[in-house]
Amino acid sequence: FNEALSKVALEIHFDLRKLIVLGELSLAETRSALRLADLYLSPFPHGGATMLRLSLSEHTPVVVMRRKSTRSIDEFMLEACGLGAMIAENAANYDALVRKFGQDVVFRREMQKIAESNVDAVLTVDDGFSRKMAEVIEELAAKNHAQDPV
């Protein structure tokens, strides 16, 4: 990993002293690191809904890449929070979006403001929602069971 990272950094003239690579972190350490971050870069082609949710809970904007074969939970969560502008269509767009976030102060502030204002309300599920969801699942299971030949 370090060799590949060094090679890429050399190719793009990036100062590796500006990059912090962390090992495995506890949940508390992860939350602390995300509070210090300006942006979380979701890996691709496979994202990570857990890290995306943690990032958003700490009001850290996230960049994800849209999947062509399926609609990912990452995309759904960002769109639900009003952060659809942080979804890249491909690797080149992902790179351009990260650069825009870093260079365009107005865009960065807008995305940060959305992350700080909308995320908690959208991603917090209340008890009523959970109970209703359980009822729907139980109803579907009962219907499915009734249709199964014995």
Side-chain angles (χ1 to χ4, degrees), residues 44-64:
F44 60 87
H46 308 290
T50 301
M51 280 302 298
L52 181 130
R53 175 63 178 93
L54 284 172
S55 298
L56 293 176
S57 73
E58 297 303 330
H59 304 139
T60 303
V62 181
V63 174
V64 303

Side-chain angles (χ1 to χ4, degrees), residues 37-108:
D38 294 319
L39 181 66
Y40 176 73
L41 305 177
S42 183
F44 60 87
H46 308 290
T50 301
M51 280 302 298
L52 181 130
R53 175 63 178 93
L54 284 172
S55 298
L56 293 176
S57 73
E58 297 303 330
H59 304 139
T60 303
V62 181
V63 174
V64 303
M65 185 159 16
R66 188 177 305 283
R67 291 182 186 67
K68 299 298 180 195
S69 59
T70 61
R71 181 174 163 85
S72 77
I73 189 72
D74 302 14
E75 296 166 37
F76 169 76
M77 288 169 65
L78 282 182
E79 288 171 346
C81 293
L83 291 166
M86 300 299 284
I87 302 171
E89 297 299 323
N90 53 48
N93 184 237
Y94 186 99
D95 182 62
L97 190 51
V98 171
R99 289 177 190 272
K100 180 178 181 177
F101 188 88
Q103 296 169 350
D104 185 335
V105 176
V106 173
F107 178 71
R108 182 172 56 251

Side-chain angles (χ1 to χ4, degrees), residues 1-12 16 19:
F1 173 78
N2 289 334
E3 288 177 20
L5 187 60
S6 296
K7 181 181 175 186
V8 170
L10 185 63
E11 288 173 6
I12 65 170
L16 279 176
L19 182 67

Side-chain angles (χ1 to χ4, degrees), residues 135-148:
E135 289 171 13
V136 169
I137 291 170
E138 288 170 357
E139 182 181 323
L140 289 172
K143 284 181 182 178
N144 188 38
H145 182 69
Q147 293 174 359
D148 286 339

